[in-house]
Amino acid sequence: MLDEHGNVVEGVDPATLPPLADLLDGYRALVVARRFNDQASALVRQGRLAVYPSSHGQEACQVAAATVLGEHDWLFPTYRDCAAVVTRGVDPVEVLTLLAGEWHCGYDPVATRVAPQCTPLATQLPHAVGVAHAARLKGEDTVVMALCGDGATSEGDFHEALNFAAVFRAPVVFLVQNNKYAISVPLARQSAAPSLAAKGVGYGVPAELVDGNDLAALTSVLAAAVERARSGGGPTLVEADTYRIQAHTNADDASRYRNDDEVAKWLPRDPLLRLKAYLTAQGVLDAEREAAFAQVAEEMAAHVRAGSAGEGTADPSELFRHVFAEPTPQLREQSELLAAELTADLEAAR
């Protein structure tokens, strides 16, 4: 809908864009999301986070995915979707608990309607479909937004999730953030399909390919998909064409598999610059409002720094407490072995 200069694309009726008020709120969320990415990356360099997979450059996908959902809908994020979880309203300090290595999930999934961030590729997709299908069986109007990357589409769980959702018309929206690399593997080595959206044909799932750096287009497409799912129309597959500006994580050397010229070509397509140009031209974004948004982002960053200042107090034995209601013999054995090793370490330290 908007080109990289913030102009309405030729042939697009400006009246079909989301309302200016919604786009302005979206821009504020983009500013906060970018600041969150930068702050989390800084925490890694300071040794206060174990790892951080930045979504710098993909913030429009994150913000749109979170903002099109209703209060009772569910978001199923991946490890790279921290900004989406924050946009959904989860405390950013709690979001980083996983990446600090202190707990599997730092927030209450049921209270927030946000599933734990998933590190293995695509394993959250069948879970998302299960929640959506259960809601449909119970007569609820819940919709599930399931996020994944291009690498996840090569996994068997992606196939099972799409196939089940299609057959049972589960109210779920699959958003594939195609950022061109599964760590170091380029898209051309992952799939021979003309696009990832084209995979929807084989499952009987309607699909769309959308500019993943255009918040207006993303919001329009995802909102329509959510409404379709809510009204009983079944699942939708959306491929967002975007790019991972930074490395896979702080442990990755992206220069080994891509060059600076490739990255430079994507910098002008920054979702923040594009939407800022449009909103400024429309007269709804000025220096005063921009400063106010920046202040909100800085307050969030300060909250994250304060919440990450203390030493972690993780209890290793907690790993075994919430796996099964009644621990299995294998879990008891492992728990006892860990307890013995910890006791031995403590005695040796004395």
Side-chain angles (χ1 to χ4, degrees):
M1 287 184 156
L2 300 176
D3 65 19
E4 64 183 54
H5 304 293
N7 300 316
V8 178
V9 174
E10 184 178 355
V12 173
D13 181 359
T16 62
L17 269 69
L20 283 174
D22 291 349
L23 290 178
L24 191 62
D25 286 343
Y27 179 71
R28 179 193 56 77
L30 287 177
V31 171
V32 172
R34 175 65 55 84
R35 186 67 185 89
F36 179 83
N37 273 319
D38 292 344
Q39 181 60 72
S41 295
L43 291 176
V44 174
R45 294 191 294 271
Q46 296 167 11
R48 292 155 76 179
L49 282 184
V51 66
Y52 185 68
S54 177
S55 60
H56 185 113
Q58 298 177 221
E59 290 96 345
C61 298
Q62 309 271 301
V63 169
T67 55
V68 298
L69 297 176
E71 180 182 356
H72 299 293
D73 295 333
W74 274 83
L75 177 70
F76 272 73
T78 73
Y79 56 88
R80 196 177 301 282
D81 298 318
C82 291
V85 181
V86 171
T87 304
R88 182 73 169 145
V90 179
D91 186 331
V93 173
E94 295 180 350
V95 174
L96 292 175
T97 301
L98 167 68
L99 299 171
E102 295 178 2
W103 190 247
H104 295 298
C105 180
Y107 51 86
D108 183 345
V110 176
T112 60
R113 309 290 259 189
V114 178
Q117 289 180 260
C118 189
T119 301
L121 295 191
T123 57
Q124 82 281 9
L125 299 182
H127 301 162
V129 174
V131 169
H133 183 53
R136 182 171 178 268
L137 292 177
K138 292 187 289 185
E140 300 173 353
D141 67 350
T142 300
V143 174
V144 176
M145 178 72 67
L147 307 183
C148 69
D150 47 292
T153 65
S154 300
E155 299 289 335
D157 283 329
F158 177 84
H159 159 75
E160 294 173 8
L162 265 291
N163 194 60
F164 189 100
V167 171
F168 292 96
R169 299 180 67 81
V172 57
V173 178
F174 298 93
L175 174 58
V176 180
Q177 298 175 73
N178 178 7
N179 65 14
K180 308 299 179 286
Y181 289 95
I183 306 183
S184 60
V185 182
L187 183 63
R189 299 294 299 274
Q190 300 179 57
S191 175
S195 71
L196 297 178
K199 293 178 180 287
V201 175
Y203 299 104
V205 173
E208 290 202 51
L209 174 61
V210 60
D211 188 334
N213 288 17
D214 178 4
L215 184 67
L218 280 162
T219 300
S220 178
V221 168
L222 291 175
V226 167
E227 181 55 35
R228 179 177 180 273
R230 202 182 308 282
S231 62
T236 301
L237 173 63
V238 178
E239 177 190 353
D241 180 36
T242 186
Y243 192 78
R244 194 190 75 217
I245 296 297
Q246 298 183 350
H248 176 70
T249 69
N250 57 291
D252 171 44
D253 180 6
S255 66
R256 299 182 64 180
Y257 54 84
R258 68 182 189 185
N259 57 53
D260 292 342
D261 290 342
E262 178 181 311
V263 178
K265 292 178 181 178
W266 279 88
L267 295 179
R269 300 181 62 180
D270 189 309
L272 278 81
L273 297 178
R274 181 182 310 197
L275 189 55
K276 177 181 179 179
Y278 174 73
L279 294 174
T280 300
Q282 297 300 309
V284 296
L285 181 63
D286 55 20
E288 182 179 355
R289 185 160 276 167
E290 184 83 28
F293 292 167
Q295 179 62 31
V296 171
E298 285 305 319
E299 290 173 357
M300 177 277 303
H303 172 65
V304 170
R305 290 193 299 272
S308 306
E311 293 293 329
T313 57
D315 178 1
S317 65
E318 290 182 336
L319 285 168
F320 305 97
R321 292 180 189 168
H322 307 289
V323 182
F324 293 102
E326 181 64 30
T328 64
Q330 293 86 355
L331 280 179
R332 289 197 188 94
E333 180 182 356
Q334 294 172 27
S335 178
E336 291 167 359
L337 176 61
L338 175 61
E341 291 178 349
L342 292 174
T343 300
D345 289 344
L346 184 61
E347 292 177 351
R350 292 173 181 171

